[in-house]
Amino acid sequence: ARRMTQPVTICQDLPRERFVHLPTPLESAPRLSDSLGVEVLIKREDLSGLCVGGNKSRLLEFAMGSLRDKGIDTLIAYAAPQSNKLRDVAAVAARCGMKAVLLIPPTPGDASNPPQGNRLLYDILGAEVRVVAAGLDRDGIMAAQKSVQDELARLGRHSAILDRRLDYGIDATIAYFDAAEELHRQLAGRGTPPHSVFIAVGAGMTVAGLALGLKHLGSPMRVIGVCISSKTADMVPEIEYHAARAAQRLGLSTRLNAADLTLVDDQIGAGYGVLTPQLTAVIHRFARLHGMIIDPVYNAKVALALTDAASDGRIPKGATAIYVNTGGGPATFEFNAALGGASTAIKQLGSN
C-alpha cells in the first residue's frame, strides 16, 4: 500500500475499514498533454486496490466502517449487469467473509454467451446473482432489494442494502470529500493550481463529495462533472441532495449548490454503455499515448469531454486539467468486438 502519514483531516475519525491503497497516484501524462496542448494530470483511482480498483473501492471503506458493529453478514445491491459497484460489493463481501446478493436486470442479447467483464467477476468472487424484472423504477428497485432482505431475515441472516438513498449514499459522498482532501494535499506546493478537474457523473455521489470537499477547502479548481446517462437538469438536485446529507453527517456548514460546479451532458450520446466511434477513438488515444485503458461506459466520456474542452479553448492552452480515472476497466472486455484490432484512430497517431 502507498500509505503515508497525513495531517489531521475532517474524515479521519469516521468509522472506516482500511483495504484501499492510498493515496492513489496523481501522475503526469506528457505525451497525452502534448497532443492536447494542455497539461493533463491523472488521478489514478483505478489503482486503488481491493479487486481491480476504482472509485467504489474507496467509498466501500466508509460503507463497511458504518456497518462494522451491526452484525451484518450479507450485502444486497442492485445495478447494471456490468456494474463496477456490484463487482466491488462482491469483492468486499469476500474480503470480509460475507455473502453478496447482487440484483441485475436482464442482459440483452444471447443468453447463451458466457459472462464477460464485471459480470464474470461476480461469479469468480462468489456472489449470488439474481436477475430481476426489467425497467424497474427507483421504488421498484428498492422494493426488490427489501424483498431479498426479508427473505434472508427469515433464514436468520442479517443483511444491509447498499443503495444511494440509504446510508450507503452518505458514505459514498463522504469518501470523495476524503478524496478531495487527498488531492488537495497532492497539489500543495505546485504553484498555480489546476484550472479544472474532470470526473464522471453517474449516480452523483462521487462528484458531490469531490466538489463539496474542494469548496470547503477553498480550492479554485473548477469541478467539471461529465454526465454519463442522465441530463444535467436531473442530476443537479441529486448532487445537491447527496452533498447536503454528507455535510450534515460531517457537521459542516458548507453547502454545495449548482453554481459550485459545471455539469456537461453533451457526451451522453445514445445512452448508458453505448459505444460510439468517438468513444472508441478516445479510448485508443489514451491507450496509445499513455498506456492506460479507460472504460467505454464512464471514463471514455470524461476523456472525450476533456479533449473537446482542450480543443475549443475552454481549458486555456498551457493550463493544467486533472482527469479522474474512476476505474471500470473490466467492462472494456464486454466491447471486445468493437474495440479490438486496428482502427483509424490508431493509424492517425502514427509513430507519435
Side-chain angles (χ1 to χ4, degrees), residues 258-294:
D260 295 320
L261 72 165
T262 299
L263 295 184
V264 296
D265 55 19
D266 53 355
Q267 304 298 338
I268 291 174
Y272 181 89
V274 179
L275 190 62
T276 65
Q278 293 79 14
L279 293 173
T280 298
V282 83
I283 289 169
H284 287 146
R285 183 176 195 173
F286 274 56
R288 293 302 175 102
L289 292 177
H290 194 61
M292 179 179 69
I293 305 301
I294 56 176

Side-chain angles (χ1 to χ4, degrees), residues 3-345:
R3 201 173 295 280
M4 55 189 288
T5 302
Q6 299 287 6
V8 174
T9 69
I10 289 171
C11 301
Q12 178 173 280
D13 296 325
L14 293 176
R16 186 172 185 175
E17 292 293 330
R18 298 279 185 171
F19 41 69
V20 176
H21 307 315
L22 300 176
T24 57
L26 181 66
E27 64 186 22
S28 60
R31 297 187 69 232
L32 189 58
S33 298
D34 288 346
S35 79
L36 295 175
V38 301
E39 182 186 16
V40 178
L41 300 176
I42 304 176
K43 181 64 170 162
R44 296 296 301 268
E45 295 293 272
D46 60 313
L47 301 180
S48 59
L50 181 59
C51 181
V52 293
N55 62 325
K56 303 302 190 296
S57 304
R58 185 189 289 267
L59 66 88
L60 280 166
E61 287 200 339
F62 290 90
M64 297 307 292
S66 293
L67 298 175
R68 179 186 297 153
D69 301 320
K70 296 184 178 180
I72 298 299
D73 57 24
T74 307
L75 303 177
I76 301 168
Y78 170 94
Q82 283 293 334
S83 166
N84 302 312
K85 171 188 173 181
L86 295 189
R87 179 201 67 227
D88 274 358
V89 168
V92 81
R95 181 77 65 96
C96 298
M98 296 179 173
K99 176 184 178 70
V101 181
L102 310 180
L103 309 183
I104 62 173
T107 304
D110 186 356
S112 66
N113 288 334
Q116 181 61 279
N118 281 323
R119 178 61 188 85
L120 172 61
L121 297 186
Y122 307 160
D123 294 340
I124 293 174
L125 290 163
E128 177 184 340
V129 180
R130 300 189 185 187
V131 178
V132 298
L136 293 179
D137 61 12
R138 186 173 296 172
D139 290 340
I141 291 168
M142 184 61 74
Q145 293 174 114
K146 287 187 173 179
S147 176
V148 173
Q149 188 175 48
D150 291 343
E151 173 195 330
L152 294 174
R154 291 191 292 271
L155 298 173
R157 301 194 71 89
H158 303 281
S159 61
I161 297 172
L162 302 185
D163 187 279
R164 74 185 74 167
R165 292 285 148 182
L166 305 178
D167 283 349
Y168 171 84
I170 302 174
D171 292 323
T173 308
I174 286 173
Y176 271 81
F177 188 104
D178 181 70
E181 292 184 313
E182 179 180 298
L183 178 60
H184 192 72
R185 293 192 295 272
Q186 289 177 311
L187 292 169
R190 278 186 55 87
T192 304
H195 172 270
S196 47
V197 52
F198 285 71
I199 191 167
V201 179
M205 288 94 73
T206 298
V207 71
L210 182 67
L212 177 67
L214 291 176
K215 179 180 181 179
H216 185 77
L217 291 165
S219 172
M221 283 190 299
R222 188 69 177 175
V223 175
I224 311 295
V226 182
C227 296
I228 301 307
S229 58
S230 298
K231 289 290 187 179
T232 294
D234 296 323
M235 289 311 306
V236 166
E238 290 288 308
I239 291 168
E240 290 178 341
Y241 168 79
H242 293 310
R245 293 208 300 163
Q248 184 177 24
R249 170 83 67 84
L250 293 170
L252 304 178
S253 60
T254 305
R255 289 296 184 269
L256 189 73
N257 57 60
D260 295 320
L261 72 165
T262 299
L263 295 184
V264 296
D265 55 19
D266 53 355
Q267 304 298 338
I268 291 174
Y272 181 89
V274 179
L275 190 62
T276 65
Q278 293 79 14
L279 293 173
T280 298
V282 83
I283 289 169
H284 287 146
R285 183 176 195 173
F286 274 56
R288 293 302 175 102
L289 292 177
H290 194 61
M292 179 179 69
I293 305 301
I294 56 176
D295 75 290
V297 180
Y298 290 92
N299 289 292
K301 291 185 176 181
V302 181
L304 206 52
L306 189 153
T307 56
D308 286 352
S311 65
D312 66 18
R314 281 175 287 156
I315 305 172
K317 292 296 180 186
T320 301
I322 295 173
Y323 172 84
V324 182
N325 183 346
T326 54
T332 304
F333 298 103
E334 181 76 359
F335 299 84
N336 56 340
L339 290 172
S343 75
T344 302

